[in-house]
Amino acid sequence: MSTTSSESFVRGQRLMLIFLVAMCIVVACVLSTETTMPTQNMSNKERAELREEARDMFYHAYNAYMQNAYPADELMPLSCKGRYRGVTPSRGDMDDILGNFSMTLVDTLDTLVLLGDFTEFDHAVKLVIRDVQFDSDIIVSVFETNIRMVGGLLSAHILAEYLQKHADTMHWYKGELLEMSRELGYRLLPAFNTSTGIPHARVNLRLGMKDPMLKKSRETCTACAGTILLEFAALSRLTGDPIFEVRAHAAMDALWKLRHRGSDLMGTVLNVHSGDWVRRDSGVGAGIDSYYEYLFKSYVLLGDDKYLARFNRHYNAVMKYVSEGPMLLDVLMHRPHAKSKNFMDSLLAFWPGLQVLSGDLKPAVQTHEMLYQVMQMHTFIPEAFTVDFQIHWGQHPLRPEFIESTYFLYRATGDHHYLQVGKKALKTLQQHAKVSCGYAAVNDVRTGKHEDRMDSFVLSETIKYLFLLFSDPQDLIINVDEFVFTTEAHLLPLSIAQLGNATFSFRQTDEHNVLDFMRTCPSSNRLFPEKVRKPLRNFITGSCPRTTAGKRLSALDFQASNADHLRAVYDMGITMVSVGDRSQGKAKSHEEGEMGLQFMQEMLELTKMQSINQLAQLQAVAYATDENSQDWIALMAGPSHFSPELTGDQFVEGDVILAKPLRACDESLENAEEAKGKVLVAERGDCTFVSKARLAQKVGAAALIVCDNVPGSSGETQPMFAMSGDGKDDVLIPVVFMYSMEFGKLSAVMQRRKQPLRVRVMQMVEFKRWQLAKEQRQNQTASVAQKPEKEL
Ligand code: DMJ
């Protein structure tokens, strides 16, 4: 159903009002009900200095890119040169982000306007118009190309026209960027030709889906398919061509239908043809994050309240099942009471920012506080960290999410705490990521080692949000409250709703009235951020009381080292026996006694499950103690999510060989011939686990061992994990992970042996069974040999 432009205009105005009023209510509720003042105020002078430091950071990175990398997509800050697709050694699937279309410059254009640098913006727009082209035989990610390139071109177009009107400049500009974004949009459209309407994850810029490499394409992530609408709607409204918006709405509708009807949760990976879920983990981080963001922001930008209703349904489900105090832990969409991961990823740091926009401030303050503590503990927020805040994956590519949330929290509360947090983040970047040629990603926050990588979002988001945090509205040429920030922090004006809506749709019957889900002011019981943060201040060290009254401690969450847990367990009547204290525990009340019984029951179940699961999943790399021996030793290894599981008596046997180069991130290996039929070893880093696996498979290796790149790591001291893939299931050889200490043992044996070392990759439990059977056989033989003759 289409609406008239005057209706759209009214809706646009209404929305802008709703949005601004919502923000004001949040601020008013927070500020008016509590007199406690935040502790460390920041002077205007210091704030202005930090704003200027953020500006300097921008130019340090931008100039390094322009002088050493442009027209490449990205700057490689350590080698101080450009990263080109097909020229620079491949990092595997990760490179699908690159299309040889000067991504960093396009992604950065609107930041130049925010900084007030119209001269450089004018120059940069001219360069983009002159140099950037899309007719390349390159497979790119639909999601990344949309958010970084289409979004970058569109917001630059909008701002160029804005400057023409309001700054009397760029009069030469005739809408070239909009034309470019339309062309790029057309090149992405073939990806939407699926039976569900949910787009493929990748498309060839020149050949569409006709590229033979895309023949088997069928899996995508929820965020990949659900982060299209803002850009495509803007594209349709600005060009007058409805096709983009129609396709993006259809994809959103199809995704909505795939939610679990019981839990209202979404999984992370799905099949675009059948609509079947491939991964049913449900959280708010990797694989799903910006789908939720785009539901809410589509409502704000377009005024279609079905998106608010959908967002609210999902939001309530997330808060019910995924949110656990300040933490957000993945569950299974179809079994939402079962946690599916014991770690959180850094991408979820955007969530508090989204919560602020939707008006739910208290949990935003709490989660942000938890993340701030993780950051202080590890310098940066690592890519993934466990529920006890240890590092699960130590990389940090200078992501923006935490700073983005800090910015929105500051805008909503005015609390200077968030300026202090921003200052800390800025200084950390300066101290630990700044190099002479830009800012370098951190390969491992434990070692601080740099990586030759500066993602385009460092300029388009990380530094942009820092600059905005320390700027006053009067420092900025535009009123940012009149814009929606896309997931890549590109600015789309709320006035887009006035430009007609070709595809406004009826709400589906299962979509409740938005009012059913409207949340009230979060500060009804005298909320002030400091008050909310305070009890969490020592959340990570666990030294503050934090057992919520009335909430039962479940065995899954129990940590013996947590004093509150011990207290809660004691109150439930369970005695923790230790030397010198054998007094009988007595439940405080009948109800707590019941809880205690339930707890113990769970504990037993859990122990059973854990030992079964851990052993069942643990892999082994086994070898004979010497060339002629029958005695075997097994080293502990972890499985992967993307390769076939070795179960029962299955194993793969072969000689071990080290990949050349060891990281195995290139198109091929120098020792590809030699690697055929062998158990290849590649070191972790530089590219994804799964791309190493694909390369190993391509050269004909029988199996792959990925060894850790963090010296001293060991399965004895840290939890083993399963390597994540990208949702595809094209890896057919077994792939296992070994921590450094375990691999060190293997490597020492390899060096000692004259002959190549032959190993078996198998299930640990199977190895143990095999050993046990062997021992029993040996014992039998021995006892037979020892029996006196007469007994024979
Ligand atoms: C950005 O490209 C976007 O913010 C996206 O939504 C998530 N990943 C990166 C930044 O981490």
Side-chain angles (χ1 to χ4, degrees):
M1 180 176 73
S2 60
T3 54
T4 64
S5 55
S6 65
E7 277 170 331
S8 299
F9 176 78
V10 172
R11 184 176 308 110
Q13 293 298 309
R14 184 170 53 81
L15 270 171
M16 199 184 312
L17 256 172
I18 292 175
F19 182 64
L20 293 174
V21 169
M23 286 292 286
C24 293
I25 290 174
V26 168
V27 177
C29 288
V30 169
L31 295 182
S32 66
T33 54
E34 179 61 66
T35 47
T36 318
M37 285 307 290
T39 39
Q40 284 176 287
N41 269 349
M42 183 179 281
S43 68
N44 288 343
K45 182 169 166 283
E46 185 176 10
R47 190 163 171 226
E49 279 164 10
L50 288 165
R51 183 190 67 224
E52 290 316 302
E53 191 166 352
R55 191 194 300 278
D56 291 346
M57 289 169 78
F58 175 85
Y59 285 111
H60 177 70
Y62 179 78
N63 291 337
Y65 165 75
M66 291 305 283
Q67 286 159 18
N68 306 292
Y70 182 80
D73 283 320
E74 281 177 1
L75 168 72
M76 295 164 70
L78 301 184
S79 37
C80 204
K81 59 182 189 196
R83 182 185 295 285
Y84 289 92
R85 187 86 183 268
V87 176
T88 313
S90 165
R91 298 173 297 176
D93 292 350
M94 208 176 134
D95 279 353
D96 288 347
I97 220 165
L98 313 171
N100 286 346
F101 36 35
S102 306
M103 188 173 63
T104 297
L105 184 59
V106 173
D107 213 4
T108 303
L109 290 173
D110 61 5
T111 314
L112 288 167
V113 178
L114 278 179
L115 293 169
D117 192 345
F118 306 150
T119 315
E120 184 57 25
F121 179 65
D122 184 297
H123 171 64
V125 170
K126 282 183 179 140
L127 285 180
V128 169
I129 295 170
R130 190 194 70 188
D131 299 340
V132 175
Q133 59 87 35
F134 306 120
D135 186 28
S136 312
D137 183 2
I138 292 180
I139 294 177
V140 293
S141 151
V142 174
F143 159 76
E144 299 287 1
T145 307
N146 176 56
I147 64 169
R148 301 191 199 211
M149 294 296 297
V150 177
L153 291 167
L154 282 172
S155 67
H157 161 75
I158 288 157
L159 293 175
E161 289 199 334
Y162 183 91
L163 293 186
Q164 286 182 329
K165 266 199 217 128
H166 299 278
D168 194 22
T169 176
M170 292 192 74
H171 293 298
W172 58 267
Y173 179 72
K174 301 276 178 296
E176 292 89 338
L177 297 176
L178 180 60
E179 273 318 302
M180 291 175 76
S181 55
R182 185 210 300 256
E183 184 199 332
L184 188 53
Y186 281 134
R187 290 179 187 274
L188 298 183
L189 281 181
F192 289 74
N193 292 333
T194 60
S195 38
T196 56
I198 297 172
H200 285 279
R202 297 175 182 78
V203 69
N204 183 304
L205 284 173
R206 182 181 294 161
L207 309 173
M209 293 308 292
K210 295 205 180 98
D211 186 318
M213 302 277 285
L214 294 171
K215 231 185 194 148
K216 289 191 180 158
S217 158
R218 59 181 179 279
E219 281 166 17
T220 193
C221 72
T222 309
C224 306
T227 315
I228 306 284
L229 184 53
L230 293 186
E231 291 80 2
F232 270 32
L235 197 48
S236 282
R237 307 236 176 165
L238 293 167
T239 60
D241 186 342
I243 184 71
F244 305 106
E245 188 168 347
V246 169
R247 291 307 183 95
H249 280 301
M252 287 302 247
D253 289 344
L255 284 174
W256 172 243
K257 285 191 190 131
L258 298 183
R259 76 193 180 285
H260 191 273
R261 302 295 165 122
S263 68
D264 277 332
L265 291 173
M266 303 288 280
T268 41
V269 178
L270 59 105
N271 182 314
V272 296
H273 296 304
S274 64
D276 291 338
W277 286 107
V278 177
R279 285 224 205 132
R280 288 156 196 262
D281 306 64
S282 191
V284 296
I288 198 161
D289 46 2
S290 43
Y291 162 67
Y292 293 141
E293 181 183 356
Y294 270 37
L295 281 176
F296 184 75
K297 291 185 177 174
S298 294
Y299 161 68
V300 175
L301 186 71
L302 307 175
D304 189 341
D305 61 10
K306 84 174 175 195
Y307 288 115
L308 180 58
R310 290 179 187 178
F311 171 78
N312 282 332
R313 279 276 280 276
H314 286 313
Y315 186 84
N316 289 342
V318 166
M319 296 313 281
K320 184 169 172 192
Y321 300 116
V322 178
S323 157
E324 187 79 49
M327 299 193 283
L328 294 148
L329 297 169
D330 281 21
V331 296
L332 296 170
M333 62 186 284
H334 57 296
R335 269 196 289 137
H337 293 289
K339 299 277 176 235
S340 66
K341 282 184 191 151
N342 68 343
F343 62 86
M344 290 169 264
D345 61 67
S346 69
L347 286 170
L348 64 75
F350 88 103
W351 185 252
L354 182 61
Q355 289 182 308
V356 169
L357 293 178
S358 74
D360 205 3
L361 200 58
K362 186 173 176 180
V365 171
Q366 292 173 325
T367 297
H368 182 274
E369 177 62 21
M370 179 266 294
L371 291 165
Y372 185 41
Q373 289 179 36
V374 174
M375 179 191 140
Q376 292 174 96
M377 188 171 176
H378 300 297
T379 312
F380 292 103
I381 299 179
E383 277 295 71
F385 52 94
T386 59
V387 285
D388 53 353
F389 310 105
Q390 299 307 308
I391 292 167
H392 182 71
W393 179 13
Q395 202 185 27
H396 176 78
L398 316 185
R399 288 196 189 279
E401 286 77 6
F402 177 69
I403 300 172
E404 172 186 345
S405 286
T406 308
Y407 165 69
F408 284 113
L409 273 160
Y410 178 67
R411 289 295 315 280
T413 64
D415 186 338
H416 282 214
H417 167 75
Y418 297 108
L419 294 178
Q420 301 293 353
V421 172
K423 177 180 169 184
K424 176 98 184 153
L426 181 149
K427 297 290 179 193
T428 305
L429 284 169
Q430 295 287 65
Q431 196 183 337
H432 299 282
K434 189 173 183 181
V435 291
S436 56
C437 189
Y439 288 85
V442 177
N443 180 269
D444 193 315
V445 298
R446 285 164 286 207
T447 58
K449 199 179 142 216
H450 286 145
E451 235 180 283
D452 205 2
R453 153 178 187 196
M454 185 178 92
D455 290 75
S456 69
F457 53 69
V458 175
L459 279 164
S460 72
E461 293 192 77
T462 310
I463 299 179
K464 180 190 276 167
Y465 280 122
L466 278 175
F467 181 78
L468 285 173
L469 175 68
F470 298 118
S471 299
D472 269 330
Q474 63 269 21
D475 299 328
L476 303 170
I477 158 91
I478 55 170
N479 178 3
V480 286
D481 292 340
E482 291 171 3
F483 292 80
V484 168
F485 285 92
T486 68
T487 193
E488 190 72 4
H490 292 308
L491 296 155
L492 296 178
L494 286 162
S495 58
I496 269 184
Q498 300 164 21
L499 295 175
N501 179 350
T503 58
F504 213 74
S505 57
F506 289 111
R507 188 182 309 140
Q508 290 167 10
T509 45
D510 54 357
E511 282 159 352
H512 292 64
N513 192 306
V514 281
L515 294 176
D516 296 347
F517 296 96
M518 280 290 192
R519 283 172 302 285
T520 51
C521 177
S523 61
S524 52
N525 42 0
R526 299 166 62 77
L527 168 71
F528 191 85
E530 173 59 12
K531 214 172 149 184
V532 178
R533 281 195 306 270
K534 213 169 166 192
L536 294 168
R537 189 121 306 149
N538 299 312
F539 182 73
I540 289 185
T541 50
S543 57
C544 263
R546 64 183 170 104
T547 315
T548 10
K551 194 173 176 237
R552 191 175 66 81
L553 171 66
S554 85
L556 188 64
D557 299 329
F558 177 76
Q559 289 166 357
S561 56
N562 184 315
D564 297 320
H565 288 185
L566 291 176
R567 212 170 300 128
V569 162
Y570 181 82
D571 290 346
M572 291 188 285
I574 300 163
T575 315
M576 306 297 285
V577 180
S578 63
V579 181
D581 177 12
R582 290 178 180 270
S583 59
Q584 186 62 43
K586 195 170 179 311
K588 257 191 179 173
S589 67
H590 176 71
E591 202 195 351
E592 278 163 322
E594 291 271 301
M595 290 204 278
L597 282 178
Q598 214 176 325
F599 177 87
M600 286 315 289
Q601 182 70 29
E602 280 174 359
M603 212 63 188
L604 290 173
E605 291 296 319
L606 204 67
T607 325
K608 237 189 315 174
M609 255 171 49
Q610 271 176 355
S611 47
I612 294 169
N613 282 345
Q614 277 169 11
L615 252 187
Q617 284 173 12
L618 211 60
Q619 306 290 294
V621 175
Y623 57 92
T625 46
D626 69 58
E627 270 101 343
N628 310 312
S629 171
Q630 291 302 309
D631 291 335
W632 284 64
I633 285 180
L635 296 166
M636 183 202 304
S640 89
H641 283 302
F642 53 79
S643 59
E645 208 184 327
L646 292 170
T647 51
D649 54 4
Q650 296 170 333
F651 63 85
V652 168
E653 192 170 289
D655 294 345
V656 194
I657 178 176
L658 300 184
K660 279 189 202 158
L662 190 57
R663 290 270 165 118
C665 291
D666 298 354
E667 295 287 331
S668 189
L669 294 177
E670 284 161 33
N671 56 345
E673 266 308 302
E674 225 186 313
K676 263 194 198 125
K678 308 269 170 61
V679 175
L680 189 71
V681 175
E683 191 185 41
R684 180 182 193 173
D686 291 349
C687 60
T688 56
F689 291 125
V690 70
S691 53
K692 292 177 200 291
R694 290 199 179 108
L695 180 57
Q697 177 163 291
K698 190 169 126 191
V699 301
L704 173 70
I705 298 172
V706 181
C707 61
D708 200 6
N709 56 359
V710 180
S713 66
S714 163
E716 300 291 338
T717 52
Q718 55 204 101
M720 188 45 88
F721 65 95
M723 292 175 284
S724 296
D726 52 8
K728 293 197 234 154
D729 55 7
D730 55 332
V731 175
L732 305 174
I733 57 170
V735 183
V736 297
F737 177 84
M738 289 179 86
Y739 279 117
S740 304
M741 296 297 269
E742 284 79 31
F743 179 70
K745 289 185 191 154
L746 191 74
S747 159
V749 182
M750 283 167 72
Q751 281 162 25
R752 267 203 318 269
R753 297 267 167 103
K754 292 195 190 79
Q755 301 297 321
L757 175 65
R758 201 156 180 82
V759 296
R760 269 185 195 187
V761 181
M762 62 197 300
Q763 232 183 342
M764 183 59 98
V765 76
E766 190 54 28
F767 177 81
K768 300 238 167 190
R769 226 165 47 82
W770 181 47
Q771 288 295 89
L772 210 65
K774 209 165 65 182
E775 272 167 35
Q776 276 167 358
R777 270 199 312 273
Q778 279 166 357
N779 288 345
Q780 273 166 11
T781 326
S783 68
V784 168
Q786 279 164 21
K787 284 195 178 171
E789 227 168 287
K790 58 179 180 195
E791 275 187 33
L792 282 173

